[in-house]
Amino acid sequence: MTVPAPRTEPADEPPSEADPDPRDPRGPDRWLRTPWETPPPPTPALAPASPAPATAPEPVPAPEPEPEPATTAPEDTAPPPASAPDTDESPAGLRLPPPALDYIGSGPPTYDPEPTALPPADPDGLDDLVPDTVLDGARYGACTLRAVSLRGDSARYRGEPRRDALLTARFGSGEQALVLVAMATGTRAAPAAHLAAAEVCQWIARAVGRSHARLVEDIRAARRGDLKSGLHRLTDRSLGRLRAGAAEQGVASDEYAASLRCLLLPADPECRTRVFFGAGEGGLFRLRDGEWQDIEPRVPEPAGARRAAGDGVPAETPEGDRLTMDLGITTAPPGNPYEPDPGPPPEPFRFRASVARPGDALLMCTGGLADPLRGEPELCAYLGRRWSVPTPPGLAAFLADSQVRVKGYSDDRTAAAVWEA
């Protein structure tokens, strides 16, 4: 076995390990030891029988120990080793991510950065307890997934449970597998908001899991129409079960409700189609070439609301006939007058199927992270620098990036990011 030579050779070092110096008290195998190993003391059995010569041998300098890695290197230090990414020779011109921060802005937020109070617990309902933080990740096909759900600063301070729910699941195996990321946010100030969010994630996961084989086929074949209509039905069915649960509990439908956002990732490395669907507020962003793109699907305004406001309705037909609206005749209110008020209309369905490019990073998140990303350019730029590196962050680094705080934004944060190889 050939042992690589040290970085610098003293003048008195032997030319190879096969020709050691017999006068060296450290033994003939000193070149086989790593620099941080301490040479063992000589034993009497190995000591020379003849007296030492009158002229002592020249001392041989010991190998220098390797320096410990520093967190921040000064400007006049040597370049990093070959194993570290070289930003100057990077073909994409990418820089190393900046050091992790605790907060963005002129000052820290009002609340403490760490959890303060635990939510109250019911001895007969311990299954309903929600942990402060959930962290998950995986790598399938051409993408690497990181997902996290954090309790907001205000909920940590008041001892309230996390209203956001996160579920990651894989259905099937091999290239036929389908990865689902589902996240939901319960209604603010509702006592069972965390339960509603968890239930709708489980219901949509159960529905997707039962249909995963057909979904994989439709994603590969790019059947966008079939995907949109099928996932729309699954979403409406899951949200409808929440409304039915609210009626069973005798509470208003908006007190036991949740927004829902899902991401489908096929495990086939040849398929780079990523499917997003759901209902409710949040964000869908894409990081491409170091620039953020807001690709949240836009939903049209309900036609009934536009007619009630008189927007976009012409005063007469092309033939010159006046419309009934201008005659002062009262129009009938929307809905069935013989049924009770159904309440506000449900959230519109959102859908997007896009083909990812190598080097893209796709981010799906709830409003707790989407709002500061849209409102604080400094946070947007910081995460763009952190997540533009060729290697996706590990779980701990992704957690640190996701919990960078901004003053004025203290809601729960749930995010799932996908890096394309």
Side-chain angles (χ1 to χ4, degrees):
M1 179 181 68
T2 304
V3 180
R7 296 180 181 176
T8 56
E9 288 188 358
D12 60 342
E13 287 184 355
S16 67
E17 62 184 58
D19 188 19
D21 188 354
R23 300 172 300 171
D24 192 348
R26 291 174 293 178
D29 62 339
R30 67 184 182 93
W31 302 111
L32 300 178
R33 290 194 291 266
T34 55
W36 55 83
E37 286 182 324
T38 303
T43 57
L46 298 179
S50 58
T55 303
E58 297 181 4
V60 179
E64 298 181 357
E66 295 186 356
E68 297 181 359
T71 55
T72 56
E75 297 180 357
D76 55 349
T77 54
S83 59
D86 191 350
T87 56
D88 295 335
E89 299 180 1
S90 176
L94 301 177
R95 296 181 179 273
L96 291 176
L101 299 178
D102 176 59
Y103 64 88
I104 291 289
S106 58
T110 306
Y111 300 101
D112 293 335
E114 299 296 336
T116 304
L118 290 173
D122 182 3
D124 298 325
L126 298 179
D127 293 339
D128 298 336
L129 293 179
V130 182
D132 177 89
T133 303
V134 175
L135 186 63
D136 206 352
R139 183 172 60 195
Y140 285 99
C143 63
T144 300
L145 171 67
R146 299 288 181 262
V148 66
S149 184
L150 298 164
R151 190 162 54 132
D153 289 345
S154 62
R156 286 174 167 179
Y157 177 77
R158 294 181 173 89
E160 299 173 352
R162 175 168 47 90
R163 294 184 298 115
D164 280 6
L166 173 67
L167 186 148
T168 54
R170 173 181 61 88
F171 303 105
S173 60
E175 296 184 356
Q176 304 297 325
L178 182 66
V179 177
L180 166 70
V181 182
M183 58 184 64
T185 302
T187 304
R188 186 186 301 273
H194 60 293
L195 301 180
E199 285 188 11
V200 74
C201 286
Q202 294 174 2
W203 288 334
I204 195 66
R206 189 176 296 112
V208 169
R210 292 169 178 170
S211 307
H212 77 274
R214 174 65 184 275
L215 287 170
V216 170
E217 294 178 2
D218 290 343
I219 293 175
R220 283 177 170 175
R223 302 187 185 103
R224 188 178 184 277
D226 294 344
L227 285 169
K228 185 175 182 179
S229 60
L231 295 173
H232 194 172
R233 288 193 300 270
L234 296 183
T235 303
D236 286 348
R237 193 176 306 166
S238 299
L239 295 176
R241 295 193 63 173
L242 277 186
R243 292 190 291 270
E248 294 176 358
Q249 300 174 26
V251 299
S253 59
D254 57 347
E255 292 186 9
Y256 197 74
S259 64
L260 176 65
R261 309 180 71 79
C262 301
L263 193 63
L264 296 179
L265 308 171
D268 185 359
E270 301 298 327
C271 181
R272 288 187 179 267
T273 302
R274 311 300 179 228
V275 177
F276 161 80
F277 68 96
E281 299 300 326
L284 184 67
F285 306 92
R286 179 170 56 203
L287 183 61
R288 175 173 289 177
D289 298 331
E291 298 291 336
W292 284 106
Q293 302 172 1
D294 191 346
I295 59 174
E296 175 76 9
R298 300 293 183 250
V299 294
E301 187 179 357
R306 296 188 60 184
R307 289 194 183 94
D311 296 336
V313 179
E316 59 183 23
T317 64
E319 293 77 16
D321 296 331
R322 304 287 294 180
L323 297 179
T324 307
M325 181 179 177
D326 291 338
L327 299 178
I329 300 176
T330 304
T331 57
N336 191 339
Y338 302 103
E339 293 181 356
D341 183 11
E347 290 286 346
F349 178 72
R350 301 174 186 266
F351 174 88
R352 186 183 185 97
S354 60
V355 179
R357 299 179 185 176
D360 283 356
L362 183 66
L363 174 65
M364 179 182 69
C365 55
T366 59
L369 183 58
D371 292 343
L373 275 176
R374 294 189 176 108
E376 294 294 334
E378 189 176 352
L379 176 64
C380 199
Y382 170 75
L383 292 182
R385 295 191 301 268
R386 291 280 298 176
W387 293 348
S388 292
V389 294
T391 303
L395 290 178
F398 182 70
L399 172 63
D401 294 338
S402 302
Q403 63 184 1
V404 174
R405 304 182 302 149
V406 182
K407 192 170 185 178
Y409 300 92
S410 57
D411 286 342
D412 298 346
R413 288 186 179 183
T414 302
V418 179
W419 281 265
E420 300 292 338

